[in-house]
Amino acid sequence: MFAQKKKPLVERIESHIQLDSVSLHVPGHKNGLLYPASWQPFLKYDLTEITGLDDLYHSEAAIEESRQLLTACYGAEESYFLVNGTTGGNLAMILAAVGRGEKVLVSRDVHKSILHGLELAGAVPIFLTAAVDPEIGVASGVSCDLLEEAFTLHPDIAACIFTYPSYYGTVFDLASCISIAHRYQAVVLVDEAHGAHFAAHPDFPTDALQLGADAVVQSAHKTLPAMTMGSFLHIASSHPRLQEVPRYLQMLQSSSPSYLIMASLDIARHYVANYEAADFETFWEMRANWEASLTASGFEVLTPADPLKLVIRRAGSTGFELLAEFEQNGYFPELADESQALLILPLLKKNDSFPAPSNWQTVAADKKERQEIQPIAPAAITELAISYEAMRGLKTEFLPVEAAVGYVAAENVMTYPPGIPELIRGEKITAEHVTVLQAIKTRRYQGGEKLHENKLKVFKEI
């Protein structure tokens, strides 16, 4: 445990800064010299692979020591720093684990990066309709019965990919799902973007590594004090399908990794490794104060399995109206949907504070006709209408959204955040898709290159 008190990479960078050296190397801001003075202390940490600072892709000194501490902290066999987010880790573990033409079981509620990884791998996704959390009303994992059914229909599935927890902090019986997948000899990959903090205290949900997953990616920047794009990748088994992960990380990540991001990952690991019972008591008191304050201000407060998340509702208001009200009071929630807004609290330590709002000002909402977005509910187990391999070279065209029914989508379209596709490239477009797309085009979304013109990209009829 004493070793976890160290921050090897941060300490090594700070030793270099003390040299007050002249930069004749990249980056071009020269230790912040070319920036305003207020930026310079921060940018002194933005270094490169000069003598003494180690190398992310051939680590032997400070980075390697930090990586080993990360591995021990989470109880993995090997752990890695990621400098281009969980997206890079998802792509690396998928490309390493899945060969062209191999079947992959994946829940419909996956992040777009999972779909991108499957397409790059030339995999054959088998989609499972996501279960719905009964309290929060959002997609949350899959049922064990549906998983068993999928393996009965497709016993040659090579890998399973699960999202745990959901963006909203809900969880499902991942341990049983992992057990089922392993019984069928499938490797289990978990996108745990919102669960990097689970290791901090037993009152958080159990993390996927402890539940038996083979590989797990976590967004340290989402719930731990790491900089944006800083993530962890953990390998928890010696499964032969995961041997090539380090090679793919070199292919997919920048050859000039950010030392600022890596240093922040060293800090994030140190933070979670040294989180104590007294820290959690401080966090819990803060959370209780927030819940009480919000309730007193007329909000309904829902508490998912992850205590770091609060879901806020109010009768007669959409989540987007609540979002606007929060922002006009000076608070910026993570996201909103038609029903609710999501707040992500800080993982406080003792002697820190994060005061709950008082004197809340209710804002008169600019009332608009409410557009209910009904989730698409395809058959429980589905496949793409056109395989990723077959899509290569096919010509595309743009059609009016209403005229696209019956065609095969040539683009992913998703509300963002959270980045879960409502329409998946390669699936046949239905009238239900059209209803959803007409609603989300008035919101923040990604994909849908010309959706703002009421057009969808489809594959031309063969």
Side-chain angles (χ1 to χ4, degrees), residues 181-207:
H182 282 165
R183 179 155 42 85
Y184 286 92
Q185 308 302 312
V187 64
V188 176
L189 315 177
V190 177
D191 178 353
E192 198 175 40
H194 283 263
H197 62 291
F198 284 0
H201 191 273
D203 282 1
F204 288 113
T206 306
D207 65 80

Side-chain angles (χ1 to χ4, degrees), residues 120-132:
L120 287 171
V124 178
I126 308 297
F127 293 104
L128 302 184
T129 302
V132 175

